[in-house]
Amino acid sequence: MACNLQTSFLPALKFPAEATLDKRRGNGLVVCSVASAADSIMTESTPTGSAAVVRSRPLSRREVETSERKMTDTTGKFGRFGGKFVPETLMTCLSKLEAEFNLVLHDPEFQEELATALRDYVGRETPLYFAQRLTDHYKNESGCGPEIYLKREDLNHGGAHKINNAIAQAMIAKRMGRKSIVAATGAGQHGVATAAACAKLSLKCTIVMGTLDMERQASNVLLMKLLGAEVKSVDGNFKDATSEAIREWVGNLETNYFLIGTAVGPHPCPSMVREFQSIIGKETRRQAMERWGRKPDVLVACVGSGSNALGLFHEFIADEDVRMIGVEAAGFGLESGKHSATLAKGEVGVYHGAMSYLLQDEEGQIVGPHSIGVGMEYPGVSPELSFLKERGRVESYSVTDQEAVDAYQLLCRLEGIFPALEASHALAFLDKLCPTLPDGAKVVVNCSGRGDKDAPTVFRLTQGSSPGDHKRHPVSP
Amino acid sequence: MAASAKTPISRTQTTSLYKPYSSSLQLPFKFLKVTPNSCAAKALSICCALQMEPKVGPGSQVPDSFGRFGKFGGKYVPETLMHALTELESAFRALSGDVEFQKELDGILKDYVGRETPLYFAERLSEHYKRPNGEGPLIYLKREDLNHTGAHKINNAVAQALLAKRLGKTRIIAETGAGQHGVATATVCARFGLQCIVYMGAQDMERQALNVFRMRLLGAEVRAVHSGTATLKDATSEAIRDWVTNVETTHYILGSVAGPHPYPMMVRDFHAVIGKETRKQAMEKWGGKPDVLVACVGGGSNAMGLFYEFVDDEDVRLIGVEAAGFGLDSGKHAATLTKGEVGVLHGAMSYLLQDDDGQIIEPHSISAGLDYPGVGPEHSFLKDLGRAEYHSITDEEALEAFKRLSRLEGIIPALETSHALAYLEKLCPTLPNGAKVVLNCSGRGDKDVHTAIKHLKV
């Protein structure tokens, strides 16, 4: 039996009881199934004989609620995912952070101050916009098709959903008496949001960004500098920036606060980020009720690391009749090796302090991800999303760079909205989704950011074409 | 000249008129129109009846049926456009009272544009203006920068597109300088499925290649104008020429409160939502009205949008801030209300920057949106009435203010807006403790980062 579970387990850790190993090695077919619930194991016929495999079955309501409770326990585990795989030096810091997080969750004064900031500074609540022309585009010959609504996170201050979390955490940092914030950013949206929040709250701000990303999202770098942040460059991209930022944080734990931008990292980071982003879903529920008197039927969001997706989904996890679709970046195609489709092609491992799906090679080394959507380029993914995917609560698909660029141009032309290339991945999936949906199904797509930052990229890609030609522009490797 | 005013006041006054009649002639009292009376006249004398203008305010007829704000405004256009303008005005008046239209517009402003925009208390900015004894005004920012497309422009663009659709027009034209108004127009045309043609000076197209690309992505056709200096005023002339030719099918989306009647009134009314929201939000936040309103003035649309609601509230100060470019004495500025003289430009009588021969002086400002030699006629009117004050700010002062707001509040303002922000440096020391200042943060500054970085050497 070969265990192909790549981890960097600490010696004291116990192997989680719910883990399943279904890797096949060599000529023999050995499948080891270890599950906590006996009825999760089914016998299935396969080409080489029968095998016992674990299949995810739909979660019952009780199981979901139990899982929810488990999620907020102090080990920070989502099933077998999550946790706190960090050096000892960080354990105390993380515990303090978790304690503060629990305090603010129940502190009415903090909640009111946050609500005011979200309303007056960030510009919430964001509209749930009925995209008439996009809806018409997806109607079939008989005029039937789903209704597409866009949750307009692009209208937030800073231009993306990132600020929901950045402003809340900056407020926590201030509460804790920290003087300076350090953060890592990929596309730059989290960097801009953090720099803005720090300016407003009078905190020193250092943003770490990979040189590759700085080139591709140069306008965001300028914005950060104008907002008073110091921008530190490291070779590589977001994953390298994150590692450097953590190093910077560990070097100065008393005065520094590491402001994580997405739902990854050691506990309590994934829970914190998800909690602060969950306002997206909460507003959506209320707006859906006002608009059409019930819940959405399908939720669609792009998945880089998972913060905007979890922000939309979390509110509806216990509503089994609401489908949740995460769309990852297939880059040049899943078989090309140049993509960021972690949930599709990754294997379980530990990265940046948490156990989750991860793009890794045979030796457990991180595989460099690729996507035209810079914010999608992360080899890992939120542990909570890994859990929800494995349990079958969230469906996961992927779209290529070309499909994303096409969707970008389509939304510009039909609705006059520039979506971020990241959000364009979610929009691109509508091509495959809509023909399968019943007439009048209510689809909510998280328009997680605006695409002004991506216009130069799309511009460069299309420079070979004649002026005014806004047809399909090929994206070449 | 013997003159008598109609009831209730009767007054006789004699004034001598000298040839050539200067457009800046000041008569001893303000009048709306002159009606010749037949009376026993001596040679070289004129008898006429002069009507006193009514009190100004949203309730009264401003502008009047000729589109005049006092002596300003009007419809100085070729005969071929008169019908289109009249038709537009009738449609506008009809739709203003149409509940369905208002509901549809409100829905779009809410779900598409993202209104209402917050009235944000700028705590650190207010701290910055506190005097050593801890006293100072309270600064609030009306966040038009949070609108879809990043400026107030869309309020008007969206409403005019909806109006054009109601009129059965399928073709929209606009002119643009730096591209912001072009992008806003292309945006709404995409949203409503209307054909869009944007006229842009060939020189501007080179300097703003990215904005040209954005307009094309939005489905608009961008036409280069090579005549004259190949800049904004030439693009405007070309757009007007197009409109004259295609008036049956085409609506011209003018981006500011300038131009022939009914545009100044229409654009103001479409932006008036800014002031209306401000009144409500001020009442919610501190139970009163603002004390001072501050806004930058290029053509004047964002300022009129904020001011109009409060024009009748005499206790609310209205301050417009224009661009002084390299300085008022340098000859390179766009401070129309300070340095201009009355004349006619783009269909309206208003203050404008002209030389002794009545030729337009090429204005300058670091911010493209303020780089306009004219100004909306209603602003000219408010200035002459003394109802609003107009000041100006140099490029350098604007850049400083740009940096200041970015660093203190984490909001990067448009360079246009930065002019209004810069004026706070002069205004705040004069204000009493706790005075409520509302500044129109008319746009975000993402579009200005390259300019700012170049000058600020960040």
Side-chain angles (χ1 to χ4, degrees):
Chain A
M1 180 176 91
C3 279
N4 203 27
L5 188 65
Q6 305 289 350
T7 68
S8 49
F9 279 115
L10 296 180
L13 184 77
K14 280 201 169 54
F15 197 87
E18 294 128 19
T20 62
L21 303 159
D22 57 356
K23 268 267 138 306
R24 298 168 190 202
R25 276 315 223 176
N27 296 325
L29 173 63
V30 180
V31 175
C32 176
S33 304
V34 178
S36 56
D39 60 353
S40 305
I41 304 179
M42 296 171 281
T43 309
E44 205 185 68
S45 305
T46 66
T48 47
S50 68
V53 294
V54 173
R55 289 271 174 256
S56 56
R57 57 179 170 78
L59 296 176
S60 71
R61 193 176 185 88
R62 203 172 77 79
E63 275 173 332
V64 168
E65 278 162 4
T66 316
S67 312
E68 289 263 281
R69 262 205 315 278
K70 279 189 187 163
M71 282 179 211
T72 52
D73 76 16
T74 49
T75 60
K77 300 304 284 289
F78 304 92
R80 61 176 173 141
F81 301 105
K84 275 185 195 176
F85 296 84
V86 294
E88 201 56 42
T89 29
L90 278 180
M91 290 299 272
T92 323
C93 195
L94 288 175
S95 303
K96 272 197 202 149
L97 184 57
E98 188 185 344
E100 198 66 41
F101 173 54
N102 283 318
L103 274 177
V104 303
L105 277 183
H106 303 101
D107 178 352
E109 222 179 277
F110 179 90
Q111 290 301 324
E112 207 192 296
E113 206 186 316
L114 179 59
T116 304
L118 288 173
R119 187 194 63 209
D120 289 352
Y121 185 64
V122 173
R124 298 208 75 91
E125 54 179 54
T126 55
L128 185 64
Y129 167 70
F130 175 52
Q132 174 78 67
R133 293 192 77 204
L134 194 63
T135 297
D136 289 343
H137 174 81
Y138 287 115
K139 284 198 160 94
N140 62 18
E141 287 96 36
S142 16
C144 295
E147 288 177 11
I148 321 278
Y149 292 81
L150 303 178
K151 184 60 174 150
R152 300 291 301 279
E153 293 298 298
D154 59 298
L155 290 177
N156 284 330
H157 179 53
H161 68 294
K162 294 287 181 195
I163 188 132
N164 301 327
N165 165 62
I167 188 80
Q169 285 204 49
M171 283 169 62
I172 291 183
K174 199 142 193 193
R175 233 177 108 104
M176 289 171 86
R178 301 295 162 83
K179 298 280 181 277
S180 104
I181 305 273
V182 64
T185 192
Q189 289 302 129
H190 177 57
V192 169
T194 305
C198 287
K200 179 185 180 344
L201 295 171
S202 174
L203 294 162
K204 184 169 169 311
C205 182
T206 307
I207 307 289
V208 188
M209 200 170 178
T211 42
L212 294 172
D213 293 340
M214 285 174 79
E215 261 177 54
R216 293 188 292 173
Q217 305 276 241
S219 56
N220 274 344
V221 178
L222 292 178
L223 292 175
M224 285 181 251
K225 289 185 171 157
L226 281 170
L227 291 164
E230 185 198 327
V231 182
K232 256 184 82 169
S233 64
V234 294
D235 282 326
N237 61 12
F238 179 52
K239 56 173 177 47
D240 311 287
T242 304
S243 305
E244 180 60 33
I246 292 177
R247 233 167 275 144
E248 178 110 8
W249 177 35
V250 172
N252 218 333
L253 282 174
E254 291 308 305
T255 49
N256 273 358
Y257 181 98
F258 175 50
L259 211 162
I260 194 148
T262 191
V264 298
H267 181 67
C269 296
S271 301
M272 264 175 60
V273 175
R274 178 255 293 150
E275 175 61 33
F276 293 133
Q277 292 294 357
S278 66
I279 185 144
I280 303 175
K282 288 185 183 111
E283 284 178 5
T284 302
R285 184 190 284 282
R286 198 173 36 76
Q287 290 165 323
M289 188 56 73
E290 278 167 11
R291 292 295 274 274
W292 63 80
R294 54 182 181 79
K295 293 172 281 194
D297 297 308
V298 192
L299 303 175
V300 188
C302 66
V303 174
S305 318
S307 62
N308 93 85
L310 282 169
L312 180 63
F313 296 170
H314 183 75
E315 173 69 16
F316 297 96
I317 287 178
D319 294 279
E320 284 155 45
D321 49 347
V322 179
R323 257 178 92 183
M324 297 180 181
I325 298 180
V327 187
E328 291 187 299
F332 295 134
L334 288 182
E335 304 314 316
S336 70
K338 294 234 146 270
H339 62 80
S340 304
T342 316
L343 290 170
K345 289 291 217 176
E347 290 168 31
V348 182
V350 174
Y351 189 51
H352 288 149
M355 179 174 291
S356 191
Y357 278 102
L358 178 54
L359 289 173
Q360 48 185 317
D361 64 18
E362 303 296 322
E363 272 118 44
Q365 296 304 307
I366 303 301
V367 169
H370 162 80
S371 170
I372 198 166
V374 178
M376 307 283 274
E377 263 186 6
Y378 185 62
V381 74
S382 158
E384 189 169 357
L385 263 185
S386 296
F387 171 70
L388 291 169
K389 189 227 162 174
E390 196 163 76
R391 291 305 186 101
R393 184 65 190 92
V394 168
E395 304 162 48
S396 141
Y397 300 96
S398 57
V399 302
T400 61
D401 285 354
Q402 183 64 63
E403 289 168 322
V405 171
D406 290 344
Y408 179 99
Q409 294 179 84
L410 188 71
L411 196 70
C412 284
R413 204 165 37 84
L414 291 185
E415 296 287 352
I417 299 173
F418 282 83
L421 277 173
E422 293 82 4
S424 303
H425 285 73
L427 290 159
F429 188 68
L430 292 175
D431 274 2
K432 302 193 178 90
L433 176 67
C434 292
T436 71
L437 294 176
D439 186 38
K442 309 279 193 270
V443 181
V444 173
V445 181
N446 207 6
C447 193
S448 49
R450 60 177 187 247
D452 302 52
K453 64 182 176 67
D454 298 312
T457 304
V458 182
F459 182 43
R460 268 194 302 272
L461 278 173
T462 61
Q463 248 185 348
S465 352
S466 54
D469 173 14
H470 41 263
K471 293 201 182 63
R472 191 174 180 279
H473 295 292
V475 174
S476 50
Chain B
M1 179 182 84
S4 59
K6 288 209 151 105
T7 51
I9 302 159
S10 185
R11 199 187 291 165
T12 307
Q13 201 140 357
T14 310
T15 308
S16 305
L17 279 170
Y18 297 100
K19 272 186 173 180
Y21 305 120
S22 155
S23 59
S24 57
L25 175 72
Q26 293 293 330
L27 287 167
F29 41 83
K30 294 170 174 111
F31 66 100
L32 269 183
K33 59 182 186 183
V34 178
T35 332
N37 282 346
S38 56
C39 57
K42 288 202 287 199
L44 301 176
S45 74
I46 305 166
C47 286
C48 53
L50 300 168
Q51 248 180 309
M52 295 294 285
E53 69 205 349
K55 188 177 188 305
V56 89
S60 54
Q61 277 299 107
V62 174
D64 67 9
S65 49
F66 292 108
R68 290 205 176 269
F69 302 88
K71 64 171 170 173
F72 301 106
K75 277 183 190 179
Y76 296 82
V77 294
E79 199 57 43
T80 27
L81 281 181
M82 288 300 275
H83 173 74
L85 291 174
T86 313
E87 182 193 53
L88 187 57
E89 187 184 346
S90 316
F92 173 68
R93 287 197 193 278
L95 287 175
S96 302
D98 181 336
V99 169
E100 279 308 312
F101 178 83
Q102 286 308 316
K103 226 172 97 181
E104 200 184 341
L105 180 58
D106 286 344
I108 294 166
L109 288 173
K110 177 165 167 281
D111 289 344
Y112 186 65
V113 174
R115 299 209 74 92
E116 53 180 58
T117 54
L119 185 63
Y120 167 70
F121 174 52
E123 191 175 348
R124 288 193 76 202
L125 195 63
S126 303
E127 267 311 305
H128 172 80
Y129 288 116
K130 279 205 159 84
R131 304 185 266 270
N133 62 0
E135 296 192 336
L138 300 171
I139 322 279
Y140 290 80
L141 303 177
K142 183 60 174 151
R143 301 291 301 281
E144 293 298 298
D145 60 297
L146 290 176
N147 284 331
H148 180 49
T149 68
H152 70 292
K153 295 253 173 236
I154 192 139
N155 299 327
N156 168 60
V158 131
Q160 285 205 40
L162 202 58
L163 178 74
K165 259 205 126 149
R166 284 297 196 104
L167 278 174
K169 310 273 177 168
T170 51
R171 199 171 164 271
I172 302 286
I173 59 172
E175 85 299 327
T176 193
Q180 286 308 116
H181 175 59
V183 170
T185 305
T187 298
V188 302
C189 288
R191 164 71 179 70
F192 290 105
L194 296 162
Q195 187 194 3
C196 181
I197 292 134
V198 179
Y199 286 94
M200 197 171 179
Q203 256 224 48
D204 287 336
M205 280 179 76
E206 255 185 61
R207 295 187 287 190
Q208 302 287 333
L210 192 58
N211 268 344
V212 174
F213 178 67
R214 286 167 75 196
M215 285 184 261
R216 290 184 172 144
L217 266 183
L218 291 161
E221 183 195 331
V222 184
R223 286 193 192 162
V225 176
H226 295 277
S227 49
T229 48
T231 53
L232 175 60
K233 56 174 178 49
D234 311 289
T236 308
S237 307
E238 198 58 42
I240 292 175
R241 229 168 276 142
D242 181 314
W243 198 27
V244 170
T245 320
N246 298 297
V247 120
E248 300 301 308
T249 56
T250 303
H251 176 67
Y252 179 18
I253 292 192
L254 229 153
S256 193
V257 285
H261 182 68
Y263 281 104
M265 174 184 76
M266 240 171 63
V267 176
R268 170 202 73 196
D269 283 359
F270 288 146
H271 281 303
V273 61
I274 303 174
K276 288 190 187 108
E277 285 179 5
T278 302
R279 185 189 284 282
K280 185 174 63 75
Q281 290 163 326
M283 188 56 73
E284 279 164 9
K285 284 197 139 72
W286 64 80
K289 290 178 284 193
D291 296 305
V292 192
L293 301 177
V294 187
C296 63
V297 174
S301 60
N302 94 85
M304 275 324 299
L306 180 62
F307 294 173
Y308 186 57
E309 174 69 19
F310 296 96
V311 165
D312 273 348
D313 295 274
E314 295 284 337
D315 48 348
V316 179
R317 255 175 93 182
L318 308 176
I319 300 181
V321 186
E322 292 186 299
F326 293 142
L328 288 179
D329 297 320
S330 69
K332 295 239 151 264
H333 61 80
T336 317
L337 290 164
T338 308
K339 289 292 219 171
E341 288 174 33
V342 181
V344 174
L345 178 65
H346 295 147
M349 179 171 286
S350 193
Y351 277 101
L352 66 121
L353 292 172
Q354 50 182 318
D355 63 18
D356 291 328
D357 296 315
Q359 296 304 308
I360 306 298
I361 296 176
E362 197 74 40
H364 162 79
S365 168
I366 195 172
S367 62
L370 300 187
D371 207 348
Y372 182 61
V375 74
E378 195 164 5
H379 280 293
S380 301
F381 178 59
L382 291 174
K383 177 191 147 92
D384 274 12
L385 265 189
R387 180 61 190 95
E389 314 158 39
Y390 295 92
H391 305 275
S392 59
I393 284 291
T394 62
D395 287 353
E396 220 176 282
E397 291 169 315
L399 283 165
E400 275 309 305
F402 178 96
K403 190 165 144 191
R404 194 177 308 123
L405 192 72
S406 304
R407 296 288 162 95
L408 289 183
E409 295 288 350
I411 299 171
I412 302 182
L415 278 173
E416 292 81 2
T417 311
S418 304
H419 286 71
L421 288 159
Y423 189 68
L424 293 175
E425 294 284 292
K426 304 193 173 99
L427 174 68
C428 291
T430 72
L431 293 177
N433 187 33
K436 312 278 191 293
V437 180
V438 171
L439 190 142
N440 209 6
C441 192
S442 50
R444 62 174 189 251
D446 300 48
K447 62 182 178 68
D448 298 314
V449 283
H450 295 282
T451 310
I453 291 279
K454 205 167 62 181
H455 286 90
L456 292 173
K457 296 183 183 37
V458 163

